[in-house]
Amino acid sequence: MAAVGKDLPACPVETTLMLISDKWKVLILRDLLPGTKRFGELRRSVGGVSQKVLTAQLRQMEDSGLLTRTVYPEVPPRVEYTLTELGYSLKPILDAMRNWGEEYRARQA
């Protein structure tokens, strides 16, 4: 993935997709919108994602500035993830996706 701020696509839609195009990233965003979560909480709430994939997705999202990772010097280590202001700015997009999905499901019923 291209570094944020460098080599961004000319199309704004493509830029957005570059940041959240993975199924897991959208679900991580969904689950962090209510507030901070620990790694284990995210793994359970996202469901079906392996630890390796979740870790990679969280690192990419941190590199993109969508979330922050806080490590507490405890034994065992406690790590928490929180959306940044940039990450929270994606809420209207996720709301629109939820609304569209609800309408689609209603039409299929």
Side-chain angles (χ1 to χ4, degrees):
M1 178 165 79
V4 174
K6 298 178 182 177
D7 304 320
L8 290 175
C11 173
V13 172
E14 189 176 349
T15 300
T16 305
L17 285 174
M18 180 184 79
L19 294 171
I20 64 167
S21 63
D22 188 277
K23 162 185 161 178
W24 304 119
K25 289 179 184 174
V26 173
L27 297 178
I28 292 166
L29 287 167
R30 174 201 67 189
D31 292 346
L32 286 177
L33 280 170
T36 300
K37 283 201 174 22
R38 293 175 69 173
F39 183 87
E41 292 174 302
L42 278 173
R43 186 154 181 221
R44 283 188 297 278
S45 67
V46 170
V49 64
S50 71
Q51 181 172 336
K52 179 180 176 181
V53 170
L54 180 58
T55 299
Q57 298 297 296
L58 289 166
R59 285 184 183 152
Q60 289 174 6
M61 293 173 75
E62 184 180 14
D63 290 344
S64 299
L66 298 177
L67 57 82
T68 58
R69 176 180 184 260
T70 305
V71 180
Y72 295 91
E74 301 173 353
V75 177
R78 178 171 48 116
V79 180
E80 293 182 342
Y81 296 89
T82 306
L83 290 180
T84 61
E85 187 176 327
L86 180 64
Y88 276 112
S89 72
L90 291 164
K91 185 180 184 313
I93 294 170
L94 272 73
D95 288 344
M97 291 172 69
R98 184 191 68 240
N99 293 339
W100 188 91
E102 288 173 351
E103 289 177 22
Y104 179 80
R105 289 176 62 165
R107 289 181 183 173
Q108 298 303 310

